[in-house]
Short mmCIF file of all heavy atoms in Angstrom, two decimals:
data_model
loop_
_atom_site.label_atom_id
_atom_site.label_comp_id
_atom_site.label_asym_id
_atom_site.label_seq_id
_atom_site.Cartn_x
_atom_site.Cartn_y
_atom_site.Cartn_z
N GLU M 1 8.32 -10.49 -2.79
CA GLU M 1 6.86 -10.38 -2.94
C GLU M 1 6.54 -9.18 -3.82
O GLU M 1 7.22 -8.16 -3.79
CB GLU M 1 6.20 -10.19 -1.57
CG GLU M 1 6.35 -11.37 -0.65
CD GLU M 1 5.73 -11.08 0.71
OE1 GLU M 1 5.11 -10.00 0.88
OE2 GLU M 1 5.87 -11.92 1.60
N ARG M 2 5.48 -9.34 -4.61
CA ARG M 2 5.03 -8.27 -5.49
C ARG M 2 3.61 -7.87 -5.13
O ARG M 2 2.74 -8.72 -5.01
CB ARG M 2 5.05 -8.80 -6.92
CG ARG M 2 5.70 -7.90 -7.89
CD ARG M 2 5.66 -8.54 -9.23
NE ARG M 2 5.17 -7.52 -10.13
CZ ARG M 2 5.71 -7.25 -11.29
NH1 ARG M 2 6.68 -7.98 -11.73
NH2 ARG M 2 5.24 -6.29 -12.01
N HIS M 3 3.37 -6.57 -4.98
CA HIS M 3 2.06 -6.07 -4.60
C HIS M 3 1.62 -4.98 -5.58
O HIS M 3 2.37 -4.04 -5.83
CB HIS M 3 2.09 -5.47 -3.19
CG HIS M 3 2.55 -6.42 -2.14
ND1 HIS M 3 1.71 -7.33 -1.55
CD2 HIS M 3 3.77 -6.62 -1.59
CE1 HIS M 3 2.39 -8.04 -0.67
NE2 HIS M 3 3.64 -7.63 -0.68
N ARG M 4 0.42 -5.11 -6.12
CA ARG M 4 -0.18 -4.07 -6.96
C ARG M 4 -1.08 -3.22 -6.07
O ARG M 4 -1.97 -3.75 -5.41
CB ARG M 4 -0.99 -4.68 -8.09
CG ARG M 4 -0.15 -5.35 -9.12
CD ARG M 4 -0.99 -5.72 -10.33
NE ARG M 4 -0.19 -6.41 -11.29
CZ ARG M 4 0.49 -5.81 -12.27
NH1 ARG M 4 0.43 -4.51 -12.38
NH2 ARG M 4 1.22 -6.51 -13.11
N LEU M 5 -0.86 -1.91 -6.11
CA LEU M 5 -1.61 -1.00 -5.26
C LEU M 5 -2.30 0.06 -6.10
O LEU M 5 -1.72 0.55 -7.08
CB LEU M 5 -0.67 -0.32 -4.25
CG LEU M 5 0.13 -1.26 -3.34
CD1 LEU M 5 1.15 -0.45 -2.55
CD2 LEU M 5 -0.80 -2.01 -2.42
N ASP M 6 -3.52 0.40 -5.71
CA ASP M 6 -4.23 1.49 -6.38
C ASP M 6 -3.64 2.83 -6.00
O ASP M 6 -3.53 3.73 -6.82
CB ASP M 6 -5.72 1.46 -6.04
CG ASP M 6 -6.42 0.27 -6.66
OD1 ASP M 6 -6.04 -0.12 -7.78
OD2 ASP M 6 -7.33 -0.28 -6.03
N ARG M 7 -3.26 2.95 -4.75
CA ARG M 7 -2.60 4.18 -4.29
C ARG M 7 -1.80 3.87 -3.03
O ARG M 7 -2.03 2.85 -2.38
CB ARG M 7 -3.60 5.30 -4.04
CG ARG M 7 -4.59 5.06 -2.96
CD ARG M 7 -5.63 6.19 -2.89
NE ARG M 7 -6.60 5.93 -1.86
CZ ARG M 7 -6.50 6.36 -0.60
NH1 ARG M 7 -5.50 7.12 -0.25
NH2 ARG M 7 -7.44 6.07 0.27
N ALA M 8 -0.86 4.74 -2.72
CA ALA M 8 -0.04 4.57 -1.53
C ALA M 8 0.30 5.94 -0.96
O ALA M 8 0.50 6.90 -1.70
CB ALA M 8 1.24 3.81 -1.86
N ARG M 9 0.35 5.99 0.35
CA ARG M 9 0.77 7.21 1.06
C ARG M 9 2.18 6.99 1.57
O ARG M 9 2.50 5.93 2.09
CB ARG M 9 -0.15 7.49 2.24
CG ARG M 9 -1.50 7.95 1.82
CD ARG M 9 -2.28 8.48 3.01
NE ARG M 9 -3.69 8.50 2.66
CZ ARG M 9 -4.66 8.10 3.46
NH1 ARG M 9 -4.37 7.64 4.66
NH2 ARG M 9 -5.90 8.16 3.06
N PHE M 10 3.00 8.01 1.44
CA PHE M 10 4.40 7.91 1.82
C PHE M 10 4.72 8.87 2.95
O PHE M 10 4.21 9.99 2.99
CB PHE M 10 5.31 8.24 0.63
CG PHE M 10 5.26 7.23 -0.46
CD1 PHE M 10 4.29 7.30 -1.44
CD2 PHE M 10 6.16 6.18 -0.49
CE1 PHE M 10 4.23 6.37 -2.45
CE2 PHE M 10 6.11 5.25 -1.50
CZ PHE M 10 5.14 5.34 -2.47
N SER M 11 5.58 8.42 3.85
CA SER M 11 6.17 9.31 4.85
C SER M 11 7.68 9.22 4.63
O SER M 11 8.14 8.60 3.68
CB SER M 11 5.77 8.89 6.26
OG SER M 11 6.28 7.62 6.56
N ALA M 12 8.46 9.78 5.51
CA ALA M 12 9.91 9.81 5.33
C ALA M 12 10.52 8.41 5.33
O ALA M 12 11.52 8.17 4.65
CB ALA M 12 10.55 10.66 6.41
N ASP M 13 9.90 7.46 6.06
CA ASP M 13 10.54 6.15 6.17
C ASP M 13 9.60 4.97 5.93
O ASP M 13 10.00 3.82 6.08
CB ASP M 13 11.18 6.00 7.55
CG ASP M 13 10.17 6.12 8.67
OD1 ASP M 13 9.03 6.51 8.41
OD2 ASP M 13 10.53 5.81 9.83
N SER M 14 8.35 5.22 5.53
CA SER M 14 7.42 4.10 5.33
C SER M 14 6.39 4.42 4.26
O SER M 14 6.24 5.55 3.84
CB SER M 14 6.72 3.76 6.65
OG SER M 14 5.92 4.84 7.06
N LEU M 15 5.68 3.37 3.86
CA LEU M 15 4.56 3.54 2.94
C LEU M 15 3.39 2.72 3.42
O LEU M 15 3.56 1.67 4.05
CB LEU M 15 4.93 3.17 1.50
CG LEU M 15 5.08 1.72 1.09
CD1 LEU M 15 3.75 1.10 0.68
CD2 LEU M 15 6.00 1.65 -0.11
N VAL M 16 2.20 3.22 3.16
CA VAL M 16 0.96 2.50 3.45
C VAL M 16 0.22 2.40 2.13
O VAL M 16 -0.13 3.41 1.52
CB VAL M 16 0.10 3.24 4.50
CG1 VAL M 16 -1.20 2.50 4.73
CG2 VAL M 16 0.87 3.41 5.80
N GLY M 17 0.02 1.16 1.64
CA GLY M 17 -0.61 0.95 0.34
C GLY M 17 -2.07 0.57 0.48
O GLY M 17 -2.47 -0.08 1.44
N PHE M 18 -2.86 0.99 -0.49
CA PHE M 18 -4.30 0.72 -0.50
C PHE M 18 -4.68 0.04 -1.80
O PHE M 18 -4.17 0.36 -2.86
CB PHE M 18 -5.08 2.03 -0.37
CG PHE M 18 -4.79 2.80 0.87
CD1 PHE M 18 -3.78 3.74 0.91
CD2 PHE M 18 -5.53 2.57 2.01
CE1 PHE M 18 -3.51 4.44 2.06
CE2 PHE M 18 -5.28 3.27 3.18
CZ PHE M 18 -4.25 4.21 3.20
N ARG M 19 -5.59 -0.91 -1.67
CA ARG M 19 -6.16 -1.59 -2.82
C ARG M 19 -7.66 -1.49 -2.71
O ARG M 19 -8.22 -1.65 -1.62
CB ARG M 19 -5.77 -3.07 -2.80
CG ARG M 19 -5.06 -3.52 -4.01
CD ARG M 19 -4.85 -5.01 -4.05
NE ARG M 19 -4.81 -5.71 -2.80
CZ ARG M 19 -3.73 -6.34 -2.32
NH1 ARG M 19 -2.62 -6.32 -2.98
NH2 ARG M 19 -3.78 -6.97 -1.20
N ARG M 20 -8.34 -1.27 -3.82
CA ARG M 20 -9.81 -1.18 -3.77
C ARG M 20 -10.35 -2.58 -3.62
O ARG M 20 -10.11 -3.46 -4.42
CB ARG M 20 -10.36 -0.55 -5.04
CG ARG M 20 -11.86 -0.30 -4.92
CD ARG M 20 -12.34 0.68 -5.96
NE ARG M 20 -11.66 1.96 -5.92
CZ ARG M 20 -11.98 2.97 -5.12
NH1 ARG M 20 -12.97 2.84 -4.27
NH2 ARG M 20 -11.33 4.09 -5.16
N GLY M 21 -11.08 -2.79 -2.56
CA GLY M 21 -11.65 -4.10 -2.30
C GLY M 21 -13.06 -4.20 -2.83
O GLY M 21 -13.50 -3.41 -3.66
N ASP M 22 -13.80 -5.18 -2.35
CA ASP M 22 -15.19 -5.34 -2.76
C ASP M 22 -16.06 -4.23 -2.19
O ASP M 22 -17.06 -3.85 -2.78
CB ASP M 22 -15.73 -6.70 -2.30
CG ASP M 22 -15.03 -7.83 -3.02
OD1 ASP M 22 -14.58 -7.61 -4.16
OD2 ASP M 22 -14.94 -8.92 -2.44
N ALA M 23 -15.67 -3.72 -1.04
CA ALA M 23 -16.44 -2.65 -0.40
C ALA M 23 -16.10 -1.32 -1.07
O ALA M 23 -15.14 -1.20 -1.80
CB ALA M 23 -16.12 -2.58 1.08
N GLU M 24 -16.90 -0.32 -0.83
CA GLU M 24 -16.67 1.00 -1.42
C GLU M 24 -15.43 1.67 -0.84
O GLU M 24 -14.73 2.37 -1.53
CB GLU M 24 -17.89 1.89 -1.19
CG GLU M 24 -19.07 1.52 -2.05
CD GLU M 24 -18.78 1.72 -3.53
OE1 GLU M 24 -18.21 2.75 -3.90
OE2 GLU M 24 -19.13 0.83 -4.31
N ALA M 25 -15.17 1.44 0.44
CA ALA M 25 -14.03 2.08 1.09
C ALA M 25 -12.75 1.35 0.73
O ALA M 25 -12.74 0.15 0.51
CB ALA M 25 -14.23 2.09 2.60
N ASP M 26 -11.66 2.11 0.63
CA ASP M 26 -10.37 1.48 0.37
C ASP M 26 -9.95 0.69 1.59
O ASP M 26 -10.25 1.04 2.73
CB ASP M 26 -9.31 2.54 0.08
CG ASP M 26 -9.50 3.19 -1.27
OD1 ASP M 26 -10.17 2.57 -2.12
OD2 ASP M 26 -8.99 4.30 -1.46
N SER M 27 -9.25 -0.40 1.35
CA SER M 27 -8.77 -1.20 2.47
C SER M 27 -7.24 -1.20 2.45
O SER M 27 -6.63 -1.24 1.40
CB SER M 27 -9.30 -2.63 2.36
OG SER M 27 -8.89 -3.20 1.14
N VAL M 28 -6.64 -1.14 3.63
CA VAL M 28 -5.19 -1.15 3.73
C VAL M 28 -4.70 -2.53 3.32
O VAL M 28 -5.16 -3.55 3.81
CB VAL M 28 -4.74 -0.83 5.17
CG1 VAL M 28 -3.25 -0.99 5.31
CG2 VAL M 28 -5.17 0.57 5.55
N ALA M 29 -3.80 -2.55 2.35
CA ALA M 29 -3.29 -3.82 1.86
C ALA M 29 -1.86 -4.07 2.30
O ALA M 29 -1.44 -5.22 2.37
CB ALA M 29 -3.34 -3.84 0.33
N LEU M 30 -1.14 -3.01 2.63
CA LEU M 30 0.28 -3.17 2.87
C LEU M 30 0.84 -2.02 3.70
O LEU M 30 0.51 -0.86 3.47
CB LEU M 30 0.98 -3.19 1.50
CG LEU M 30 2.47 -3.42 1.43
CD1 LEU M 30 2.81 -4.82 1.89
CD2 LEU M 30 2.93 -3.23 0.01
N ARG M 31 1.65 -2.38 4.68
CA ARG M 31 2.42 -1.38 5.45
C ARG M 31 3.86 -1.84 5.41
O ARG M 31 4.17 -2.96 5.80
CB ARG M 31 1.95 -1.32 6.90
CG ARG M 31 0.58 -0.77 7.09
CD ARG M 31 0.20 -0.78 8.58
NE ARG M 31 -1.21 -0.57 8.77
CZ ARG M 31 -1.77 0.62 8.92
NH1 ARG M 31 -1.03 1.70 8.91
NH2 ARG M 31 -3.07 0.73 9.07
N LEU M 32 4.74 -0.97 4.91
CA LEU M 32 6.15 -1.33 4.74
C LEU M 32 7.06 -0.18 5.12
O LEU M 32 6.73 0.98 4.88
CB LEU M 32 6.45 -1.65 3.27
CG LEU M 32 6.10 -3.01 2.72
CD1 LEU M 32 6.44 -3.05 1.24
CD2 LEU M 32 6.85 -4.10 3.44
N ALA M 33 8.22 -0.54 5.64
CA ALA M 33 9.29 0.44 5.79
C ALA M 33 9.94 0.60 4.42
O ALA M 33 10.03 -0.36 3.65
CB ALA M 33 10.32 -0.04 6.81
N LEU M 34 10.37 1.80 4.07
CA LEU M 34 10.97 2.02 2.76
C LEU M 34 12.26 1.21 2.58
O LEU M 34 12.64 0.90 1.46
CB LEU M 34 11.23 3.51 2.53
CG LEU M 34 9.99 4.37 2.32
CD1 LEU M 34 10.37 5.82 2.09
CD2 LEU M 34 9.15 3.86 1.18
N ASP M 35 12.90 0.84 3.68
CA ASP M 35 14.11 0.01 3.60
C ASP M 35 13.78 -1.41 3.11
O ASP M 35 14.64 -2.10 2.58
CB ASP M 35 14.81 -0.07 4.96
CG ASP M 35 15.41 1.27 5.35
OD1 ASP M 35 15.67 2.09 4.45
OD2 ASP M 35 15.62 1.48 6.56
N ASP M 36 12.53 -1.85 3.30
CA ASP M 36 12.12 -3.19 2.86
C ASP M 36 11.69 -3.23 1.40
O ASP M 36 11.39 -4.29 0.87
CB ASP M 36 10.96 -3.70 3.73
CG ASP M 36 11.39 -3.92 5.17
OD1 ASP M 36 12.60 -4.11 5.41
OD2 ASP M 36 10.51 -3.90 6.05
N VAL M 37 11.64 -2.08 0.74
CA VAL M 37 11.22 -2.02 -0.66
C VAL M 37 12.44 -2.22 -1.55
O VAL M 37 13.42 -1.47 -1.48
CB VAL M 37 10.54 -0.67 -0.97
CG1 VAL M 37 10.20 -0.55 -2.44
CG2 VAL M 37 9.31 -0.51 -0.11
N ALA M 38 12.38 -3.23 -2.42
CA ALA M 38 13.46 -3.47 -3.37
C ALA M 38 13.27 -2.65 -4.63
O ALA M 38 14.22 -2.11 -5.19
CB ALA M 38 13.53 -4.95 -3.72
#
C-alpha cells in the first residue's frame, strides 16, 4: 500500500501520519509500526 501524507510524527517504533482533509483540522490517516514500513 502507498500513502501520501502531509506530515507524520515519529516515535522509536511507530509513526502517525496526517493528511489535510476537507475540514480545517488535520485528520489522522495512518498509524503504523516502523517494522511495517517497506
Side-chain angles (χ1 to χ4, degrees):
E1 295 177 5
R2 228 180 131 133
H3 303 276
R4 290 190 182 270
L5 303 172
D6 291 325
R7 63 186 179 93
R9 289 191 198 136
F10 292 86
S11 64
D13 60 350
S14 64
L15 74 86
V16 177
F18 300 90
R19 237 188 335 245
R20 187 163 303 276
D22 293 332
E24 286 296 316
D26 288 339
S27 58
V28 174
L30 183 66
R31 291 179 194 270
L32 279 177
L34 290 181
D35 292 337
D36 294 337
V37 176

